[in-house]
Amino acid sequence: AATGAAGGIKAFGMAIKTALPEILVISAALAAMAAIAKAVNDSEKAISEKYDNLIKKSNEGYQKQIDGTAAELEAYQNATDEKISAVESATEAEIKSLSTKHKALKNAISDEKKAYEKAHKERLSQLEKEKNAQLEVVKAATERATGELQAQIDAIDAQTAAEDKAKEELENSEKLAQLKTAILDAKTITERETAQKEYASFVEELEEKQTRALREQKKQQLQDEISKLKESGEAQQNKINEEYEAAKALEEGKNTAASEGFETRLSALDDYVERETERLEALRESNVARIHSETDETIAEYERRIEELERLQKEAEEKLEREKNEKLKNPIINQFKSKTEDEYGF
């Protein structure tokens, strides 16, 4: 067994010695091919790096243009927004100023209305005071005049009462005297004395009746005057009341007309402010629409330029990618790569 092993080793050594020249040739060839493969890989890497740099520079160049155009677009849009904002701010300022003036005018009209209503109440109060004062004057004059007349009537009644009392006392005295005389005379009165006494008594009675009739007539005249005074006082009072009611009605009419005038002015003011606000808002919308109309085309042009630059950027990148791929498809390089990969595995 030991002899067999030794023989095998010797045979292997002889085989290697015999094949050594071929082994050396193959090793040299493999080294050369490895160097070529490295050169090919380096060439591919260089081509890839070159075109990657070209693509990067192309993209950067286009991106710079895109960014610049986008910045111009943004600046233009900002300027447009500022114009629109200025229009809206100016409109809001006008509307606010209009609202402030509107409020001030309404307050002024309301204050004027309040002042007029206050003056109206004061005028009514003054009319009533004047009416009452006139009524008091008429009442006092009527009462004074009727009082004077009533005093005359009372004086007549007092005089009549006094005379009646005096007459009664006289009659009582005479009656007593007659009684005394009758007692003293004891039926010695003559017919003549009786006739004279009866005549005198009749004359006295007539005079008394005439006096009383005159007094009653005077009293009736005074009562008639009192009635006339009262009627006159009532007529004056009625006239004063009628004049007061007429003046009051006139004042109420003026107040109603003034109130309607105030309301008309307030309503007209509200209508004006509403119309003016609508006009300002419409003007604002018109100005904003005009700005949009003037700027939309420019903004669209900017957007078209950006889209065109992005398209050109993409086309340039795709073209460079195709060129890179064409360079990497070199027949010699591909043939060598295919042979070395198939035969030697690298």
Side-chain angles (χ1 to χ4, degrees):
T3 303
I9 292 170
K10 183 177 179 181
F12 178 73
M14 288 300 291
I16 291 176
K17 183 176 180 181
T18 301
L20 181 59
E22 293 181 3
I23 293 172
L24 291 175
V25 172
I26 292 171
S27 296
L30 290 173
M33 292 179 71
I36 292 171
K38 183 177 183 302
V40 170
N41 289 332
D42 289 344
S43 178
E44 288 180 337
K45 184 178 180 181
I47 290 171
S48 294
E49 288 179 352
K50 175 185 176 182
Y51 277 93
D52 288 344
N53 287 332
L54 288 174
I55 290 171
K56 181 180 179 182
K57 288 181 180 179
S58 175
N59 286 338
E60 287 177 349
Y62 278 110
Q63 192 61 47
K64 184 177 180 180
Q65 293 183 64
I66 291 171
D67 292 342
T69 305
E72 290 179 14
L73 173 59
E74 183 179 2
Y76 188 79
Q77 286 176 326
N78 289 338
T80 300
D81 291 341
E82 288 177 359
K83 287 181 181 179
I84 293 173
S85 178
V87 168
E88 291 179 342
S89 296
T91 303
E92 289 299 324
E94 287 189 61
I95 291 174
K96 184 177 181 181
S97 175
L98 179 65
S99 177
T100 300
K101 291 178 181 178
H102 174 231
K103 185 177 180 180
L105 286 172
K106 285 193 72 172
N107 289 338
I109 293 173
S110 296
D111 291 342
E112 184 181 350
K113 181 180 179 182
K114 290 178 182 177
Y116 188 90
E117 289 175 348
K118 182 181 179 182
H120 165 66
K121 290 179 180 178
E122 290 175 351
R123 287 192 293 272
L124 288 179
S125 177
Q126 183 61 32
L127 285 174
E128 188 170 5
K129 288 180 180 178
E130 291 175 359
K131 177 198 75 171
N132 292 334
Q134 291 175 2
L135 290 175
E136 287 296 326
V137 170
V138 171
K139 182 180 178 181
T142 302
E143 290 178 350
R144 183 174 59 254
T146 54
E148 292 175 353
L149 294 174
Q150 188 63 46
Q152 294 182 41
I153 292 172
D154 293 341
I156 292 172
D157 289 339
Q159 182 180 2
T160 300
E163 289 177 351
D164 288 343
K165 183 179 181 182
K167 180 182 177 183
E168 183 180 0
E169 291 178 350
L170 178 60
E171 288 176 349
N172 291 334
S173 297
E174 288 177 352
K175 188 66 175 178
L176 289 172
Q178 289 176 0
L179 291 173
K180 289 179 179 178
T181 302
I183 292 171
L184 294 173
D185 291 343
K187 297 181 181 180
T188 61
I189 300 172
T190 63
E191 292 180 357
R192 184 178 179 181
E193 289 177 349
T194 299
Q196 288 178 348
K197 186 175 181 181
E198 287 178 355
Y199 175 79
S201 177
F202 180 70
V203 170
E204 183 180 356
E205 184 178 350
L206 290 176
E207 290 177 351
E208 180 182 347
K209 287 180 179 181
Q210 185 178 6
T211 299
R212 288 180 177 273
L214 290 173
R215 288 176 181 173
E216 290 299 326
Q217 184 180 0
K218 180 63 175 177
K219 284 175 63 178
Q220 187 60 47
Q221 290 175 352
L222 293 173
Q223 289 290 353
D224 291 341
E225 289 183 25
I226 289 175
S227 297
K228 289 179 181 179
L229 283 173
K230 288 182 178 180
E231 290 175 359
S232 175
E234 289 177 357
Q236 292 181 50
Q237 290 179 6
N238 290 336
K239 183 180 178 181
I240 291 170
N241 284 323
E242 289 173 359
E243 291 175 350
Y244 165 75
E245 292 298 332
K248 182 180 178 182
L250 179 62
E251 183 61 33
E252 291 291 357
K254 290 180 180 179
N255 184 65
T256 300
S259 296
E260 291 174 354
F262 287 127
E263 293 302 323
T264 300
R265 289 167 62 190
L266 289 171
S267 178
L269 181 60
D270 289 338
D271 291 342
Y272 166 75
V273 171
E274 183 178 354
R275 291 195 306 272
E276 187 65 12
T277 301
E278 290 176 353
R279 185 188 69 80
L280 290 172
E281 290 176 345
L283 180 62
R284 175 183 60 191
E285 296 301 324
S286 175
N287 288 333
V288 171
R290 177 180 55 79
I291 292 171
H292 280 305
S293 176
E294 293 172 352
T295 58
D296 284 350
E297 186 175 349
T298 302
I299 291 172
E301 179 60 28
Y302 274 115
E303 291 174 345
R304 284 193 293 271
R305 285 169 57 187
I306 291 172
E307 290 176 358
E308 180 65 15
L309 287 170
E310 289 175 343
R311 185 185 66 78
L312 293 173
Q313 180 188 32
K314 183 178 180 181
E315 288 181 355
E317 182 178 354
E318 290 175 348
K319 181 181 178 183
L320 289 172
E321 283 287 349
R322 286 194 301 270
E323 289 180 3
K324 181 179 76 170
N325 291 333
E326 290 297 323
K327 293 288 185 182
L328 292 175
K329 290 179 182 178
N330 186 294
I332 298 174
I333 293 174
N334 289 333
Q335 183 179 0
F336 176 78
K337 284 177 65 181
S338 177
K339 184 176 182 179
T340 53
E341 287 173 356
D342 292 342
E343 295 183 0
Y344 303 102
F346 56 81

